[in-house]
């Protein structure tokens, strides 16, 4: 009997232990799902019991505010209120605001259309064409170089143009001329008809092979609205003098012309040199835009004459460039004979160093 009672007591003890363990497990399980408010309350009491001064001041500030129980994390996330700057600190900021200005808009450059005729009688055409090409290639784009030459068996002009790296159009005429000036005028008219037919929009300038330029000239050329003119310095061979051709200006207004001998006929308008003026190309294919008669097609055989007449008939539209000082020389023209062959040559045999230096 004693062994039975002992076994029953052991079973009861195990039952109590299991029940006790189960109760603890259930309480711990549900305690994990309980809200954390109680822990914060207990922690607040612990903080309140601390007698350190910084913690007490923080507790007083929170408890003194109305609706202290509604304090949440949004208050902590608020950015601090910026303090107003003093007058001395605000003055540099105002100064910087005044200096900040909108950047100016960059306007596109106008197309510069350079027309160069080449006479078949010019023995220096290859030399001067290379020199002019080296000048034009330094001009900022956009630029179109229209080169017109007479029919020839030589490909020298084509080879030079292909190696320049300049945007160009090479036109060749078939007509034969005995007068070099008549040939050049015809070539210019061919170039103008090409501009008119293809409606090329830009500022036209006739650049002779003997012209020498200041690079700033092409920047001023693009500023022309309708017609523009400028003085040209003529340098003649074997003459120790310089002749000025072109307008006399007050700022950009044309008030007169540099005159040669006019046989006392001062009432006539002076002739304007072909290289001393430029114009907007749209006057050729859209004359009504500029208030010109629409009968330009009738004068297409002599467009040069038409453009000169249009430029001189209304001097209010003829502006001098540069506009600040129209008397500034930016173009020089070398007056060299074109009918004579070069008077020197390089000898391939029997030449000495001294003779080469003389050449």
């Amino acid at each position: 009997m004693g062994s039975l009672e002992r076994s029953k007591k052991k079973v009861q003890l195990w039952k109590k232990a299991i029940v006790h363990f189960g109760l603890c497990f259930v309480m711990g399980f549900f305690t994990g799902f309980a809200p954390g408010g109680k822990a914060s309350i207990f922690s607040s009491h612990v903080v309140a019991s601390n007698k350190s001064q910084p913690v007490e001041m923080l507790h007083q500030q929170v408890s003194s505010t109305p609706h202290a129980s509604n304090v949440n994390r949004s208050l902590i996330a608020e950015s601090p209120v910026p303090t107003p700057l003093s007058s001395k600190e605000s003055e540099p900021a105002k100064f910087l605001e005044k200096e900040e200005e909108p950047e100016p808009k960059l306007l596109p450059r106008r197309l510069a259309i350079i027309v160069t005729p080449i006479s078949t009688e010019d023995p220096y055409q290859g030399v001067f064409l290379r020199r002019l090409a080296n000048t034009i290639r330094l001009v900022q784009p956009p630029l179109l170089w229209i080169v017109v030459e007479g029919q020839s068996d030589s490909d020298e002009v084509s080879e030079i143009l292909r190696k320049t790296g300049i945007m160009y159009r090479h036109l060749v005429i078939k007509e034969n001329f005995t007068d070099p000036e008549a040939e050049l005028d015809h070539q210019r008219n061919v170039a103008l008809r090409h501009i008119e037919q293809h409606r090329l929009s830009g500022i036209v300038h006739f650049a002779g092979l003997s012209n020498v330029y200041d690079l700033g000239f092409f920047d001023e050329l693009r500023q022309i609205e309708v017609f523009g003119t400028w003085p040209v310095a003529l340098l003649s061979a074997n003459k120790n003098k310089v002749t000025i051709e072109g307008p006399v200006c007050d700022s950009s207004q044309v008030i007169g012309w540099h005159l040669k001998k006019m046989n006392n006929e001062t009432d006539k308008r002076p002739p304007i040199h072909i290289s001393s003026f430029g114009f907007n190309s749209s006057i050729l294919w859209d004359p009504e835009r500029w208030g010109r008669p629409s009968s330009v097609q009738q004068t297409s055989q002599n467009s040069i004459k038409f453009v000169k007449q249009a430029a001189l008939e209304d001097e209010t539209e003829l502006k001098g460039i540069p506009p600040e000082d129209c008397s500034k020389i930016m173009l020089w023209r070398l007056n060299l004979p074109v009918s004579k062959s070069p008077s020197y040559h390089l000898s391939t045999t029997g030449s000495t160093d001294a003779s080469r230096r003389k050449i």
Side-chain angles (χ1 to χ4, degrees):
M1 293 294 292
S3 60
L4 292 174
E5 290 179 355
R6 290 177 182 175
S7 61
K8 289 180 179 179
K9 289 181 179 180
K10 289 181 179 180
V11 169
Q12 290 178 356
L13 291 173
W14 278 105
K15 289 181 178 179
K16 290 180 180 180
I18 292 171
V19 171
H20 183 72
F21 177 77
L23 291 175
C24 292
F25 176 80
V26 170
M27 291 182 65
F29 180 81
F30 285 104
T31 303
F33 289 98
K38 293 181 180 180
S40 63
I41 294 173
F42 292 126
S43 63
S44 64
H45 287 294
V46 174
V47 171
S49 62
N50 194 351
K51 294 184 180 180
S52 62
Q53 185 176 359
V55 178
E56 288 182 356
M57 292 179 64
L58 178 62
H59 179 73
Q60 290 177 0
Q61 289 178 358
V62 175
S63 62
S64 63
T65 56
H67 309 286
S69 61
N70 296 329
V71 176
N72 52 23
R73 295 180 181 179
S74 63
L75 295 177
I76 301 174
E78 286 182 348
S79 59
V81 179
T83 56
L85 297 175
S86 62
S87 59
K88 293 183 179 180
E89 294 176 349
S90 60
E91 285 179 359
K94 292 180 179 179
F95 181 74
L96 292 175
E97 289 178 359
K98 291 181 179 178
E99 284 187 346
E100 292 179 356
E101 297 180 355
E103 296 182 357
K105 295 182 179 180
L106 298 178
L107 298 178
R109 299 189 189 96
R110 291 180 178 176
L111 175 66
I113 305 175
I114 310 301
V115 177
T116 300
I118 299 178
S119 175
T120 56
E121 301 294 331
D122 188 358
Y124 306 100
Q125 65 174 10
V127 177
F128 287 130
L129 185 64
R130 288 183 175 88
R131 182 182 57 82
L132 183 59
N134 289 332
T135 300
I136 293 178
R137 70 192 302 176
L138 299 177
V139 180
Q140 294 181 341
L143 183 143
L144 175 62
W145 192 15
I146 301 179
V147 179
V148 188
E149 70 162 336
Q151 193 171 9
S152 175
D153 297 333
S154 175
D155 296 333
E156 182 183 14
V157 175
S158 300
E159 293 177 359
I160 294 174
L161 293 176
R162 282 196 297 267
K163 296 177 181 179
T164 58
I166 305 170
M167 184 172 63
Y168 72 91
R169 295 188 182 181
H170 184 199
L171 307 179
V172 179
I173 62 173
K174 298 180 180 180
E175 293 81 359
N176 295 322
F177 293 88
T178 57
D179 184 6
E181 292 298 329
E183 182 183 15
L184 294 177
D185 283 341
H186 178 73
Q187 291 174 350
R188 296 185 186 104
N189 284 323
V190 170
L192 293 183
R193 286 198 297 271
H194 181 82
I195 294 171
E196 180 182 354
Q197 291 173 3
H198 294 275
R199 292 179 173 266
L200 302 178
S201 180
I203 306 300
V204 181
H205 167 60
F206 298 99
L209 289 179
S210 59
N211 289 3
V212 179
Y213 292 91
D214 184 333
L215 286 178
F217 168 81
F218 297 95
D219 295 330
E220 301 292 342
L221 182 70
R222 290 188 168 102
Q223 305 303 319
I224 295 176
E225 294 294 336
V226 187
F227 292 100
T229 184
W230 50 86
V232 179
L234 176 60
L235 306 177
S236 299
N238 301 324
K239 292 184 180 180
N240 296 326
K241 66 177 182 178
V242 178
T243 304
I244 304 298
E245 299 178 350
V248 178
C249 303
D250 181 9
S251 185
S252 63
Q253 182 180 1
V254 178
I255 59 175
W257 300 86
H258 294 283
L259 301 179
K260 296 181 181 179
K261 294 182 180 180
M262 300 291 293
N263 297 326
N264 296 326
E265 297 178 0
T266 56
D267 56 335
K268 291 185 178 181
R269 294 183 183 273
I272 182 171
H273 191 269
I274 196 66
S275 290
S276 63
F277 78 99
F279 63 95
N280 195 314
S281 63
S282 62
I283 198 173
L284 297 173
W285 44 267
D286 191 11
E288 296 179 355
R289 173 185 174 188
W290 306 105
R292 301 292 174 185
S294 58
S295 59
V296 182
Q297 297 294 336
Q298 299 177 1
T299 60
S300 60
Q301 296 299 324
N302 196 350
S303 300
I304 295 294
K305 183 178 180 181
F306 165 76
V307 171
K308 286 184 177 182
Q309 290 177 351
L312 292 174
E313 70 181 10
D314 190 2
E315 292 186 354
T316 59
E317 294 183 355
L318 188 62
K319 301 299 181 182
I321 63 172
E324 298 82 7
D325 185 11
C326 181
S327 62
K328 182 179 180 181
I329 303 297
M330 304 184 74
L331 192 157
W332 295 262
R333 188 164 61 90
L334 304 178
N335 187 12
L336 299 176
V338 297
S339 59
K340 296 181 180 180
S341 300
S343 59
Y344 60 88
H345 64 278
L346 294 177
S347 177
T348 57
T349 59
S351 60
T352 60
D353 295 338
S355 62
R356 290 178 181 176
R357 285 195 294 269
K358 289 180 181 180
I359 293 175

